[in-house]
Amino acid sequence: MSEAPEATRRPPGTPCWSSLMVHGLGTTEAFYTELFGWEYEPGPQPFGPYVRALLDGREVAGIGEMPPDRHLPIAWTTYFATDDADSTAETIRSCGGTVAVGPLDAGTEGRVAICSDPLGAIFGIWQAEEHIGTRLSGVPGTPVWNELVTQDTSTVGKFYEHVFGHDAETHGTAYADFDYVTLLLDGHPVAAVHGVGRSLPHDRGPHWMTYFEVEDADAAAALVLRLGGRIVQPPREGLTGRVATVTDPEGAVLTLLESRPGNGR
């Protein structure tokens, strides 16, 4: 396998980081080490204990521990790059979204805000300074795709187009009821919106899904079970490869993707 290029600062509107907040940092670290081979180093701690996951010494994701008295949903959060977090936060508000936290400085690493779109899906924005985000992609154990799972693409897709300057491309398919829009920047796919209608899980509502590359989706899903996680959707053929949707032991949902050879999103 050829070595993946190290990432540089990403254009505004591009997913740049995935982060998870949990109750038990140590047990979660152990799970992802077994699943993805991650190692860890301490990260900035303005919000409590936080580590950065590393592959080959390069940052791929973050995991933080929430205070014992907080009982927020356990979920992977997708962060979008911005050159001006404060201006983007204002645009989010003006387009019907919510800014729940920030914008505020994360030490000297950058400026961050936690937001939600008009239908309630949570995402972050990140104005990079010293920390540019994920530095390795395209190899097993790295986030490779971000997809919004929501009721339908029509309303909320326009929100992301306005906030981040995405162009929307409807996915051509033989199935007329397949509601899927790819979000592009300068002609390159960066994320997608998948409308699932009444199939949206009632316990999660609209949410951003992080896809992680794996060598073998079936073997990785079986390993998740052995490590105390759960299978939400068993391995199956997806648009760009074989996928399995799973949870970690604390319930955070993620999708494992075994990309097809030559798949270029």
Side-chain angles (χ1 to χ4, degrees):
M1 179 182 295
S2 59
E3 185 172 344
E6 182 164 337
T8 56
R9 187 182 179 113
R10 287 169 177 77
T14 305
C16 63
W17 188 243
S18 296
S19 191
L20 174 65
M21 294 296 290
V22 295
H23 296 296
L25 188 56
T27 53
T28 299
E29 286 179 283
F31 171 84
Y32 287 102
T33 292
E34 291 294 324
L35 182 61
F36 293 142
W38 288 353
E39 298 176 335
Y40 304 94
E41 68 177 10
Q45 301 189 353
F47 317 114
Y50 189 86
V51 295
R52 291 203 177 121
L54 308 176
L55 272 178
D56 296 326
R58 288 179 277 186
E59 300 161 344
V60 294
I63 306 175
E65 186 171 277
M66 66 180 72
D69 58 341
R70 300 294 296 274
H71 297 283
L72 302 174
I74 305 295
W76 280 98
T77 299
T78 297
Y79 288 76
F80 291 87
T82 176
D83 284 342
D84 186 335
D86 295 82
S87 175
T88 301
E90 284 302 315
T91 303
I92 288 167
R93 293 188 187 98
S94 68
C95 290
T98 301
V99 180
V101 178
L104 48 82
D105 291 327
T108 58
E109 303 291 311
R111 193 159 173 80
V112 64
I114 305 297
C115 313
S116 61
D117 67 27
L119 295 183
I122 295 171
F123 63 94
I125 55 175
W126 180 256
Q127 179 184 333
E129 298 299 338
E130 293 180 7
H131 174 56
I132 64 167
T134 303
R135 290 182 176 271
L136 185 67
S137 62
V139 299
T142 63
V144 289
W145 187 242
N146 299 89
E147 189 169 290
L148 174 62
V149 183
T150 189
Q151 284 95 336
D152 66 84
T153 62
S154 57
T155 303
V156 77
K158 298 292 185 187
F159 168 83
Y160 290 96
E161 290 174 57
H162 283 119
V163 170
F164 295 117
H166 295 146
D167 294 317
E169 179 180 82
T170 302
H171 184 78
T173 177
Y175 300 99
D177 60 349
F178 185 64
D179 187 14
Y180 192 91
V181 170
T182 302
L183 302 176
L184 305 99
L185 286 173
D186 296 326
H188 299 290
V190 295
V193 183
H194 187 188
V196 298
R198 294 182 179 178
S199 299
L200 188 71
H202 294 295
D203 59 338
R204 292 204 300 279
H207 59 280
W208 277 93
M209 176 74 75
T210 303
Y211 285 62
F212 291 89
E213 185 70 35
V214 293
E215 289 185 2
D216 184 323
D218 295 79
L223 179 57
V224 165
L225 279 179
R226 293 199 299 272
L227 295 173
R230 185 170 61 88
I231 305 295
V232 178
Q233 291 181 299
R236 62 204 184 277
E237 293 304 316
L239 292 174
T240 57
R242 193 159 176 80
V243 295
T245 304
V246 302
T247 75
D248 66 20
E250 285 210 23
V253 180
L254 60 149
T255 294
L256 310 172
L257 170 63
E258 178 189 341
S259 292
R260 293 192 191 99
N263 170 41
R265 279 200 181 270

